[in-house]
Amino acid sequence: MIYVHVPFCKRFCTYCDFYSEIAREGCFQPYADELCAEIRRRAREIDDDPKTLYFGGGTPSVLPLSVLSRILIALDEAGHGGPYREFTMEVNPEDIVERGRSYADSLLSLGVNRISMGIQSFDDGLLKWMNRRHDAAGAWEAYRIVREAGFRNVSIDLIFGISHLTDEIWEATVDEAIALGPEHISCYQLTVEGESALAEMVGDGRYTEAGDEQCRRQYDRLCQKLSAAGYRHYEISNFAKPGFEAVHNGGYWARRPYVGIGPGAHSFNGSSRTWNSKDLRGWTSASETLSAEDALVETLMLALRTDKGIDAGFLHGNCSKEDIGNLVRNGALVRVGDRYRIPEDHFFVSDEIIRELI
Ligand code: SF4
């Protein structure tokens, strides 16, 4: 599993604090030089089970095609070229509309087989507040372009739990997402991240966070509507038509090893985590071996966020019988065969449930 971090955006969204720089003339070649060198240096760390490639960011769709090709050639020369079981590219709708059908065709011919489109909302007022570059019409147009190019696996992102997102707008947003018909939908509750513009807005009183009740209501409606439309709620924030569950992200949740290339990217080798520094030039890496306790917490947190849950033997071997029993009695955990899982109607409070187990 390979993750490539593309740390460029054309502008920054209100809520975001991912590592990214404003894309400027001449920024891509030096980035690609270092990235390709990192691929060569770390080729032996890459585990191809499952064989997935994920371009995230930042905004990978701002990368010139020549730069994308260079990176793919470097991966090929390092013994980890395509075809990939899943090759996801995060895209911004506005880039797809601006670069048009020929760009989408090129992505397909370069081996991209899954598009993850950051739509976030179908409400133009909210999109403006988020400082997104596209509007609702742009999202529809971008979606049409990738479909016409032949992409058969498209995921879209949505955000709920914004204090001025009314239930009516949210319901209309989910309905529109269903009408669009992507194979996969990721929905995230808005959180105030440390270095985002939103954190400043909270600090000086320009934004007040949505209450738990509103977030819960919007999450519940989302689950109901997507379930009725045939989506499987297979992870707290992720819904898929059968057979379209994300393979790469599934690997993260199962704690499979992956290598993250590029500034700000993370890696995991089964026992330690590595972080690349957030430097556009000369990024370095630091790693930390996980303690047994950290590994246990991670395993619980990741597995219990999915509908597969966790192996019953593992849970009994590591958590108190009494805590497990209490959670089962309260309906917060259910046993299905040889596994325990959090039922969907408790997904919203999964962090609290996991805290009780830890
Ligand atoms: S949400 Fe995506 S496009 Fe917006 S600033 Fe963050 S990385 Fe860039």
Side-chain angles (χ1 to χ4, degrees), residues 68-289:
L68 179 58
S69 301
R70 257 192 81 188
I71 298 169
L72 296 177
I73 289 169
L75 284 167
D76 198 33
E77 289 173 353
H80 298 283
Y84 299 94
R85 177 169 163 202
E86 186 184 89
F87 177 177
T88 301
M89 180 97 170
E90 289 182 355
V91 304
N92 185 306
E94 197 58 21
D95 292 327
I96 299 290
V97 173
E98 271 172 28
R99 302 179 77 173
R101 170 69 187 271
S102 67
Y103 173 66
D105 288 343
S106 302
L107 291 183
L108 205 57
S109 63
L110 285 169
V112 178
N113 56 25
R114 182 172 184 267
I115 291 288
S116 173
M117 194 180 285
I119 288 181
Q120 318 306 2
S121 175
F122 289 99
D123 181 84
D124 286 345
L126 280 166
L127 286 167
K128 210 166 166 199
W129 177 83
M130 292 179 195
N131 203 29
R132 298 291 297 178
R133 283 189 282 138
H134 66 283
D135 58 12
W140 277 88
E141 177 62 4
Y143 188 85
R144 186 190 64 76
I145 291 170
V146 297
R147 281 302 200 204
E148 280 185 12
F151 281 98
R152 293 287 163 261
N153 190 355
V154 180
S155 178
I156 66 167
D157 287 356
L158 297 175
I159 298 178
F160 68 98
I162 304 167
S163 52
H164 51 294
L165 168 62
T166 63
D167 291 353
E168 290 68 33
I169 294 177
W170 177 238
E171 299 226 359
T173 298
V174 178
D175 288 342
E176 228 167 307
I178 292 168
L180 208 57
E183 283 70 27
H184 190 279
I185 301 180
S186 298
C187 288
Y188 301 101
Q189 182 179 323
L190 184 74
T191 51
V192 180
E193 302 297 341
E195 289 179 33
S196 62
L198 188 61
E200 267 184 52
M201 290 163 69
V202 170
D204 63 20
R206 280 176 294 148
Y207 180 76
T208 306
E209 287 185 73
D212 260 4
E213 223 174 90
Q214 177 192 337
C215 297
R216 171 88 205 217
R217 230 174 26 244
Q218 294 182 348
Y219 185 72
D220 286 349
R221 285 302 285 149
L222 170 80
C223 299
Q224 288 155 6
K225 279 181 176 281
L226 292 187
S227 159
Y231 289 89
R232 187 179 140 224
H233 193 178
Y234 73 106
E235 197 266 350
I236 288 179
S237 307
N238 289 283
F239 303 78
K241 293 268 175 75
F244 288 94
E245 295 81 6
V247 179
H248 186 88
N249 287 343
Y252 291 154
W253 303 324
R255 295 184 81 237
R256 289 190 186 282
Y258 61 90
V259 169
I261 310 280
H266 294 189
S267 305
F268 177 61
N269 68 2
S271 58
S272 58
R273 294 205 172 268
T274 305
W275 294 266
N276 283 356
S277 64
K278 296 174 177 177
D279 299 302
L280 205 47
R281 303 273 177 281
W283 61 85
T284 55
S285 60
S287 54
E288 179 189 51
T289 301

Side-chain angles (χ1 to χ4, degrees), residues 8-9 11-13 15-18 20 57-59 92 120 132:
F8 303 107
C9 292
R11 67 186 195 203
F12 298 133
C13 303
Y15 51 83
C16 180
D17 85 336
F18 290 145
S20 192
T59 312
N92 185 306
Q120 318 306 2
R132 298 291 297 178

